[in-house]
Amino acid sequence: HGRAGQLTSFLQTRAGLAFHYQLFCASSSSMSPLLDYEWVQVFDCDQESEASVARSRLSSADVYAIQFSPIDNERRREYDIHNRVAGSEFVLSVYDMGPSSETVFFGIGELVTGRLENLIEPGRGVTDDEMFWRIASQLTRGVADLHNKGVLHRTIQPRTVFLSKNGDVRIAGFY
């Protein structure tokens, strides 16, 4: 059991097993958006989901995040919310979502490079004043935009606020 678990873990985190399996499942439909991407590497993996970096086959300079997770009502609700808030400047951009097989849901979105929680020093907060006010302003505008679109985010917290490659706020985690 121990060796099998190690092998499975290795395949998932080093070889993009989830991505390649879902690509195989999607290959039965020439319409699947997954066929437009090639796997680069896993960047986050837990018992519920796997997120990988993927490169566009159309433009190798364009990289995205692709997440696979079990299909459930939570994912469907998240999909609906992302559709409602599409185009919001400080909300994580999701370009496509849907089932990739009977049991797995995928999402293709903007590749973020960090989380707000990584900028917060325990007991001190965000210590760079300019960065603090920039993040606070973007977060406030992002939440206002959500509210204007009829969405109330129930869990705004440092782990659901991501940072783009330019350091801009990206609100996510609509559960």
Side-chain angles (χ1 to χ4, degrees):
H1 178 71
R3 297 281 293 154
Q6 288 174 339
L7 178 60
T8 300
S9 177
F10 169 79
L11 289 172
Q12 288 176 333
T13 59
R14 299 285 193 269
L17 183 62
F19 176 83
H20 288 97
Y21 176 73
Q22 294 310 316
L23 189 60
F24 169 76
C25 291
S27 67
S28 64
S29 166
S30 62
M31 300 301 286
S32 175
L34 292 175
L35 299 174
D36 294 336
Y37 299 90
E38 88 181 42
W39 181 83
V40 176
Q41 71 182 45
V42 170
F43 70 85
D44 194 17
C45 185
D46 60 31
Q47 291 181 347
E48 287 294 313
S49 66
E50 175 181 302
S52 295
V53 175
R55 182 176 292 114
S56 168
R57 292 185 191 276
L58 306 173
S59 170
S60 63
D62 296 336
V63 291
Y64 301 90
I66 296 184
Q67 182 174 358
F68 296 102
S69 52
I71 292 178
D72 57 20
N73 288 336
E74 186 175 297
R75 295 292 168 222
R76 283 179 172 70
R77 187 170 43 254
E78 186 175 11
Y79 176 73
D80 291 342
I81 292 171
H82 269 287
N83 279 335
R84 285 174 57 191
V85 300
S88 294
E89 184 178 3
F90 298 110
V91 174
L92 183 70
S93 294
V94 176
Y95 306 117
D96 209 339
M97 291 178 113
S100 59
S101 67
E102 290 183 20
T103 59
V104 176
F105 196 81
F106 75 91
I108 301 170
E110 175 181 12
L111 181 63
V112 291
T113 59
R115 290 181 189 244
L116 177 57
E117 69 185 349
N118 296 335
L119 294 179
I120 298 173
E121 294 181 28
R124 299 189 65 208
V126 176
T127 57
D128 180 310
D129 285 347
E130 184 178 324
M131 183 180 295
F132 170 83
W133 288 111
R134 184 167 160 260
I135 289 171
S137 171
Q138 291 178 0
L139 189 55
T140 302
R141 291 186 309 193
V143 169
D145 199 21
L146 291 174
H147 291 179
N148 288 336
K149 293 183 180 206
V151 173
L152 178 64
H153 194 300
R154 298 180 305 174
T155 58
I156 292 277
Q157 54 191 306
R159 70 178 183 82
T160 62
V161 177
F162 295 88
L163 302 172
S164 72
K165 64 183 176 186
N166 299 328
D168 291 327
V169 164
R170 297 293 187 259
I171 300 169
F174 300 103
Y175 303 114

